[in-house]
Each structure stands twice: as structure tokens, then as C-alpha cells.
Amino acid sequence: MTAINPVTDFSKDGEIGIITLNSPPVNALSAKVRDGLFEGFKAAIADPAVKAIVLICDGRTFIAGADISEFGGAMGGASLFDVQNMMEESPKPVIAAIHGTALGGGLEVALCAHYRIAVPSARCGLPEVNLGLLPGAGGTQRLPRIAGVEKALEMVTSGQHVPAKECLAMGLVDELAEEGKLKDGAIAFARKIVAENRPLVKVRDNNKKLEEAKGHPEIFANFRKANARKFRGFKAPEANIQCIEAAVSLPFEEGLKVERKLFGEVMMSPHSAAQRYYFFAERQANKIPDVPDDTPLIPIKKVGIIGAGTMGGGIAMNFVNAGIPVTIVEVKQDALDRGLKVVRGNYERSAKNGRFPMSEVDKRMAMFNGSLDMSSLADCDLVIEAVFERMDIKKDIFTRLDAICKPGAILATNTSGLNIDEIASVTKRPEAVIGLHFFSPANVMKLLEIVRADHTSKSVIATSMKLAKTIGKIAVLVGVCPGFVGNRILGARGREAQKMVLEGAMPWDVDRVLYDFGFPMGPFAMSDLAGLDIGWVKEKSHGETIRDVLCEADRRGQKTGAGYYDYDPETRAAKPSPVTEKIIKDFVSKSGKNPRTIPDDEILERCIYPMINEGAKILEEKKAIRPSDIDVVWVNGYGWPVYRGGPMHYGDFIGLDKVLAKMKEFQATMGDAFKPAALLEKLVAEGKKFSDLR
Ligand code: CAA
């Protein structure tokens, strides 16, 4: 074996040359890797004893793409195009041997091999779109030549990781190797190619599938139309589509030029900068400075849930889906039956949609043990309380859990804002108490706020973070404060939205501005969806707020067919409501205020800047570890558009000095709700950004 460079080896097995990359964690195409590939292929091609060349990777995966951390800086080392050219033009067959994932630039490298072999567990994809990019190394030109235009469109705009078997079926992979025996399989495959004198297949020369799409522009028009909602606001999907259009309409080299031009454009866009920032933010959120990687974990083999309502049932489904049985406790049989019926209904719907076979529904339901007796939680490793948001009830439950649960069990609350230290104080084991704040619908929403109380142990934190991954959630560790991170910032936005309505804006004006910013819906549409009567008590309602008046008129949101908006009984489409408009106008005139038209700019700034300011306060109080954690909460839990990075990234993007100046201007005219956070003042004074706090 010869070391080509620190991350690349070259060896021979008889007449087969083997280039092995080993650049942890994911063999990304850094300058060193590109250099290693370039020199490795040069050596293999020059070696007269070598008849075919296998490219394989050590570690967990084949090349997982370009090294994202290099983007935006000067790129040293060999160019990827030179590497690809050398592979494709090699006079000896080149075989890419794939395990783990061949993603982005990794798949683009593999597409320059003459043949590809993979283990069944491998996956291939071009996920650049998720970074606000497009495959910039020929992927958009080569993939449709193998996969066909429609499949290529789907792959480049979704970023999906396609399983090896499907890759084999579409010809993206030529052969499957036995799991765990990729190297042997690849060498044997290479020998076969040499023995059979198979041709040097260049994907770029295969135009058959493109010819089929020529003269059918409707393929693209239909695709755009079908996905318009999904792509709204994003720039990269359209750029990816245009590249595939170029593959169909232009010769290969010309198509490559279009790809390169559009790659440059998306790469320079703030959208891609935000999405790349977000990629690392999500991974950073897993790192807890004072909880080392080797912190002992508590094995979680059985979970208990208290409360079979919407939240409890949804939470339970996450564990069952991951193969962890659940005991779910309710106070009354009918409530338990109702809860389990809803869960079954959810599973049946998934089965009908083809997510899994119908037989799976019973299998999953068999993992639920319904009970009316809290003592059946005695052998659970984790219990999550998901009952009403009332401190007295929660304290009572935790007192009982403390007596019932086995030593070492984690006692969690799903509260969305109550003081977890107070809840923990009723137990003799506050170190076992933690907040696991799921978002509704809990079986769907990705975010999990993990709330660390004063005494929560490191083991309990590490286990909760790990468990979040097991059940497919994106976890962010936050501290105890009213509303934690997500709802606290939501409160800052909601207050301003409400105030603006009292000043003359209509709910749909505010919602439209936020929708255009990129949110899936604005705060008023969100209230209608959740139900205006959450926390509203009929007996205590005296028309003191617009919400009171709406609820009193039985306009309680979507469920009653009317709330802030009117809802079409057939389509459930929202329409601005003349009734609401009159209610608001009457309300404002009674308050003696002169309504005014609020410009869109002001609506946006008054909604967004207080969120950034609240984020700064959260950081000051150390309720979030880092600014990017706040962004991960907002992107995953509240629909903040990922191409704007999150509130803290957005603050950096527009300039904290600008945010501060506006907050001061608003404070002068509208009071201390706009008082700038000390941290915001400090960062501006020091000429720094939130990202400098990392
Ligand atoms: N560049 C740099 N670092 C990367 C990386 C990349 N392409 N992919 C992953 N990493 C890093 C992660 O940041 C993480 O680092 P830390 O441990 O320091 O946090 C580490 O590798 C492991 O990553 P994950 O935690 O995500 O590990 P996983 O096993 O859950 O997932 C993966 C592995 C599926 C490869 C996932 O990391 C992933 O999806 N990576 C991105 C793939 C991608 O987008 N490739 C396209 C890049 S752009 C491109 O290639 C442009 C082009 O056309 C040339």
C-alpha cells in the first residue's frame, strides 16, 4: 500500500488498482481529498500492471459531497473537474464502490466512473438543494442521462437519498455487492469487467433518455406547477430545474456551462448562505459544552406517557415508531379509548397513504399498553407527563411518579412553559427531572426543546439528546424561563401583531407580510388553526380583547368555520372576514384611537425585530447555549423559512446596528416593549454579530 497523501492510499490486488480515501468524518471533497484523488488516479493510470481501478472509501461512508466548510473561501488543491475528467477519460475502467452515502459531489465523482457497485444499505443523492445550491460538478447533466428527466427533477429538487436497490433498478448503480463485503465485491466486479473486456461507459455520452424528453416542455411546466407550493420562496429548486432543462436542450458541454453559471449565482445568494449556516447550526445543537460525549447513557427500553390526549398520543407514537413500547396512562377509560382510537386512525391513514402495510397498524398498536393506573409506570425507564398546563396538577403527578418510578428512571414533563424547577422540587430526585417539549402534532413536528432544569443530571440530558435522534427529532437544549426559547420569542411577535391590529392593521395584512417573508402562515391564521379559545374562559369573558369578542360570537377558529378569517365550508380556504373587520373597527373606535394604515415595512420590522431582541435576551440569560440553537428552534418548530437562517442569522444578515436603531426608534414612539437587549447594544458597540458569540 502506498500513501498518496494523508487521506489517500493506493494499493493493488493483482491487476486491480485500489484508491482508498480516508478523510473522516464523511470523506467530504476537501482540497486534500481532491489532491489525493487526482494523484491517486494519475498513479493508477500510469501503472502498467493495473488493468482496472476501484475507488473506495474507509469509514462510515463513500464521499458525502463537497466540503461545505470550504464554500465561500478560497479553494486550494486540485479542481474537482480535473479529477472527474481524469476518471472519465481513464483508458482503464474505473469502478466506484459505494457504501454509506454517495451524495452531491460524491455522487458526481461516482458518475464519472465507468461503473458503480454498491452495498444494499448504500444511498445516492444530490442534496445540494437543501443547501440552497445545485450540483455544480456535472450532476444535473449526468443524472438525467441515467435516471431520466422526471426522476432527475425529483431527485435534485428534493435532495432525497435514494436506496441502492432503487439505484440499481434505474441504472445509477450497475451491481450490488454483499453487505459488509464491498471491497471484495468491487474487486471481483472489476476483474469481470476486465475479463469480459467491457466498454468504458461514459454517462455523458448516453443521450437516449434525454431524447425521449425533447419536445416535451410540459414535463417541466407540470413539474413546476405541481411543486409550486413546496418551492415557494426558495431559489435553488428553480435553478436546479433550469439545469435539467439545459441537459435536455443543449449538448453536454453547453449544459455544463449553464450548470456552472447557475451554480455561481445560487452559491452567492443569501439564501444559500443561510441554508449552509443552518446545516451546521443543526449539527452544532447536538453539542453541549459541559456534557461530554462519553457521559453515561440511561438505557431506554420502555416509555410511559401520562395523558392520552392529542399531545400524549402523538408523543407516544414517536417511541412506538422507533420500536420502543409505551405504557399510556389516563384517568378515565373513555379518554384512554378515545386517545388510542385517534392513534390507530393516524396509523391507518399512514398505511392508506402507502407509508407501511396495513398489517403494520396492528403491530404498532400492540406496542401500546393502555392503563388507568399510574403504578403501571413502575418499570418504565422514561415517563413523560403530557397533561393540562396546570402547575398544581403537574406537581401532584410528579409527587406520585417519584413514589412509583424505579430508581434511575427519567421523569419528564411536556410543559410548554411552566417552571420545571418548581415541578422538580416536589420530587426527591430533581436530577432525574427534565422538560421534553414536543410540538403539535407531536408525531410529525421535528423539533424537541429539551429543557434543562437547575438540577437535571448530565446523564439525563445526554440520554434525552440521544433519544431525540432515535425518534427522529431535532433537539435543542434550552433553559427554564417562561415559554422557554420558542414560545417566548413567539410571544414577542404575537404582542406586536396584536398591537398593530389595534392601531388599524387588519389580521390579514399582518399575515400577508409574514407569509411573503416566508412563513407558512401568519400569527392570526395560526391562532385560527390552533383555536382562538385556547386558554379562553367563557364565564370570565367580557369583550375586553378582540379575541374575547370573536370567541363570544362563537368565532373560535377553523373548527367553528370562522375566527379572524371566514372559512369556506367546502374547501376550508380562508377569506378576510367583514365581520372580523367590523369587530376590530368598533373595538378600535371605542378605544379612542385613530386607526392608521401601517406600511408593510413597519409590520415586518415590528414583528421580526422584537423576536431578534428577545433572542438576545435569551442569550444574555443563558437560556440558549448559542444563537444558532435559537435558529434551529424557529426553523423546525415555527416555520421560519430556512433560507433566512432563523431570527438570529437574519439579525446578522440585515445588520444588528440596523435592528438596534429601529428598536430605539420604536421605543421612543411606542414604549419599552421595544427596549433593546443589553447584549444587542453590546454587540453593536463592539461591531460584532451574533455569529461572533459561537
Ligand atoms: N462537508 C463538510 N462537513 C460535513 C459534510 C460536508 N459535505 N457532511 C457532513 N459533514 C460533517 C458534519 O458537519 C458533522 O460534523 P460534526 O461531527 O463536527 O458535527 C459530521 O460530518 C457528521 O455529519 P452528521 O452529523 O450529519 O452525520 P450523519 O451520519 O447523521 O449524516 C450525512 C451523514 C448523510 C453525510 C450528512 O452529514 C449529510 O447529509 N451531509 C451533507 C451532504 C451534502 O449536502 N452533500 C452535498 C454537498 S454540496 C456539493 O457537493 C456541491 C457540489 O456539487 C460539488
Side-chain angles (χ1 to χ4, degrees):
M1 179 159 327
T2 319
I4 300 282
N5 75 359
V7 296
T8 321
D9 286 325
F10 176 59
S11 61
K12 280 186 272 188
D13 187 309
E15 76 281 25
I16 309 300
I18 302 158
I19 297 169
T20 307
L21 289 179
N22 187 6
S23 181
V26 294
N27 291 308
L29 288 161
S30 61
K32 261 194 207 143
V33 170
R34 295 193 303 272
D35 279 343
L37 285 171
F38 188 79
E39 295 304 328
F41 276 105
K42 205 157 97 181
I45 292 168
D47 189 329
V50 170
K51 298 276 184 291
I53 308 162
V54 167
L55 169 62
I56 194 165
C57 294
D58 274 347
R60 65 213 258 196
T61 178
F62 189 75
I63 304 165
D67 185 339
I68 305 165
S69 60
E70 273 187 355
F71 290 170
M75 289 263 208
S79 103
L80 187 55
F81 295 111
D82 290 343
V83 170
Q84 289 176 298
N85 201 36
M86 180 146 26
M87 290 172 68
E88 207 164 42
E89 296 305 325
S90 160
K92 305 171 182 181
V94 174
I95 296 101
I98 301 170
H99 76 294
T101 46
L103 298 177
L107 181 57
E108 291 173 296
V109 164
L111 282 168
C112 291
H114 304 113
Y115 296 93
R116 285 157 295 279
I117 181 168
V119 286
S121 61
R123 287 170 177 262
C124 297
L126 293 174
E128 284 86 344
V129 72
N130 297 326
L131 302 168
L133 295 172
L134 54 89
T140 63
Q141 305 306 297
R142 289 189 179 88
L143 183 67
R145 285 176 157 81
I146 290 189
V149 167
E150 272 144 336
K151 184 66 191 171
L153 279 172
E154 187 190 318
M155 282 176 71
V156 295
T157 57
S158 70
Q160 62 186 234
H161 300 180
V162 179
K165 275 192 190 142
E166 207 184 310
C167 293
L168 181 71
M170 73 170 103
L172 189 52
V173 160
D174 300 285
E175 193 151 308
L176 291 186
E178 199 180 320
E179 199 66 55
K181 295 200 175 152
L182 180 61
K183 191 169 171 186
D184 291 348
I187 292 170
F189 184 46
R191 287 215 166 94
K192 191 162 75 174
I193 286 165
V194 173
E196 293 173 3
N197 203 14
R198 288 208 207 168
L200 301 174
V201 181
K202 291 184 193 169
V203 174
R204 58 184 286 165
D205 293 340
N206 181 0
N207 290 329
K208 193 167 160 282
K209 290 199 168 149
L210 298 183
E211 293 302 332
E212 288 164 11
K214 273 206 172 111
H216 292 289
E218 72 280 5
I219 297 178
F220 295 96
N222 293 344
F223 187 76
R224 283 188 173 98
K225 202 168 152 206
N227 291 286
R229 224 174 120 195
K230 193 165 130 207
F231 298 160
R232 182 180 74 92
F234 287 89
K235 291 196 192 312
E238 174 56 26
N240 274 277
I241 296 171
Q242 287 179 19
C243 288
I244 308 258
E245 274 177 326
V248 174
S249 61
L250 298 172
F252 181 78
E253 286 297 340
E254 295 304 308
L256 270 190
K257 281 187 200 153
V258 171
E259 185 192 84
R260 251 168 253 179
K261 177 176 164 286
L262 290 173
F263 183 80
E265 284 175 23
V266 285
M267 175 64 102
M268 298 312 290
S269 70
H271 279 213
S272 176
Q275 287 178 259
R276 282 179 274 133
Y277 156 85
Y278 180 77
F279 174 85
F280 288 112
E282 200 175 288
R283 281 149 184 87
Q284 185 82 356
N286 286 318
K287 299 178 175 108
I288 316 298
D290 68 332
V291 179
D293 285 347
D294 59 358
T295 306
L297 297 177
I298 301 161
I300 305 292
K301 299 213 170 71
K302 195 170 173 198
V303 171
I305 310 280
I306 305 179
T310 316
M311 227 35 215
I315 294 171
M317 285 175 75
N318 289 300
F319 293 99
V320 166
N321 296 348
I324 304 172
V326 165
T327 297
I328 189 159
V329 175
E330 253 300 346
V331 273
K332 292 213 173 96
Q333 188 65 44
D334 59 339
L336 182 60
D337 293 344
R338 222 176 17 248
L340 290 175
K341 198 170 154 212
V342 170
V343 170
R344 178 177 280 279
N346 286 340
Y347 280 139
E348 282 173 352
R349 216 173 13 260
S350 296
K352 274 188 200 129
N353 292 337
R355 298 261 315 276
F356 43 71
M358 213 29 117
S359 57
E360 187 62 26
V361 175
D362 281 339
K363 272 194 211 147
R364 295 198 189 190
M365 288 313 294
M367 290 173 74
F368 283 85
N369 167 32
S371 169
L372 299 178
D373 181 2
M374 251 169 76
S375 60
S376 48
L377 300 172
D379 62 343
C380 288
D381 306 298
L382 159 71
V383 177
I384 304 172
E385 161 279 307
V387 304
F388 307 114
E389 287 288 47
R390 265 185 42 194
M391 183 55 92
D392 54 342
I393 299 180
K394 300 212 185 239
K395 278 183 166 173
D396 175 53
I397 287 176
F398 273 74
T399 307
R400 288 157 67 195
L401 283 179
D402 194 24
I404 291 167
C405 293
K406 67 181 182 186
I410 299 178
L411 308 184
T413 168
N414 176 52
T415 178
S416 57
L418 294 180
N419 186 331
I420 300 176
D421 288 311
E422 198 178 330
I423 297 174
S425 72
V426 301
T427 72
K428 289 185 212 67
R429 41 173 141 175
E431 71 287 352
V433 178
I434 195 162
L436 295 180
H437 179 207
F438 288 82
F439 289 71
S440 188
N443 52 320
V444 177
M445 293 290 289
K446 281 268 172 202
L447 178 65
L448 180 63
E449 271 187 332
I450 298 188
V451 194
R452 174 184 202 160
D454 277 351
H455 300 288
T456 312
S457 77
K458 292 182 183 180
S459 233
V460 168
I461 293 170
T463 304
S464 302
M465 296 295 293
K466 168 86 189 338
L467 194 61
K469 272 201 167 176
T470 309
I471 61 172
K473 300 288 175 199
I474 293 167
V476 178
L477 188 69
V478 303
V480 175
C481 59
F484 311 132
V485 166
N487 282 346
R488 180 167 163 183
I489 292 178
L490 183 70
R493 186 183 80 174
R495 274 191 295 278
E496 277 317 301
Q498 293 289 348
K499 269 167 36 192
M500 282 189 277
V501 165
L502 294 177
E503 290 169 32
M506 284 296 135
W508 33 95
D509 297 329
V510 177
D511 281 355
R512 175 183 42 78
V513 169
L514 290 172
Y515 179 82
D516 289 348
F517 181 78
F519 282 101
M521 64 178 80
F524 296 99
M526 206 167 113
S527 296
D528 272 2
L529 181 67
L532 289 187
D533 53 356
I534 294 181
W536 176 77
V537 183
K538 191 174 178 183
E539 295 69 32
K540 293 187 187 161
S541 181
H542 304 295
E544 280 164 15
T545 62
I546 290 168
R547 191 228 355 209
D548 282 352
V549 182
L550 289 169
C551 284
E552 285 161 22
D554 209 29
R555 297 181 66 93
R556 301 188 191 188
Q558 282 196 21
K559 62 186 172 188
T560 55
Y564 286 106
Y565 293 83
D566 288 337
Y567 291 88
D568 185 298
E570 302 275 297
T571 62
R572 294 175 75 192
K575 280 185 305 202
S577 165
V579 180
T580 303
E581 186 161 347
K582 181 164 183 324
I583 289 174
I584 291 173
K585 284 189 170 154
D586 289 351
F587 203 91
V588 173
S589 87
K590 258 196 256 159
S591 72
K593 283 190 190 140
N594 280 333
R596 66 182 176 106
T597 304
I598 307 186
D600 287 358
D601 282 359
E602 184 181 331
I603 292 180
L604 188 66
E605 288 162 353
R606 282 178 63 184
C607 283
I608 302 288
Y609 291 8
M611 296 170 72
I612 299 169
N613 197 52
E614 199 63 38
K617 288 186 199 164
I618 286 170
L619 290 168
E620 247 168 63
E621 296 167 26
K622 302 202 183 316
K623 302 299 179 191
I625 296 171
R626 46 183 91 81
S628 58
D629 285 3
I630 297 177
D631 289 338
V632 174
V633 167
W634 262 77
V635 167
N636 285 293
Y638 299 84
W640 182 285
V642 64
Y643 55 79
R644 295 193 197 276
M648 311 317 277
H649 175 83
Y650 186 68
D652 279 353
F653 170 69
I654 47 179
L656 295 187
D657 51 347
K658 193 174 157 208
V659 177
L660 178 65
K662 249 315 163 204
M663 289 294 287
K664 285 186 170 164
E665 187 190 315
F666 288 148
Q667 185 187 18
T669 51
M670 288 178 263
D672 275 351
F674 290 95
K675 189 171 187 298
L679 179 64
L680 186 59
E681 302 251 24
K682 180 168 174 284
L683 288 173
V684 173
E686 291 171 357
K688 288 188 178 157
K689 296 176 162 209
F690 286 124
S691 58
D692 293 318
L693 295 175
R694 259 182 295 173

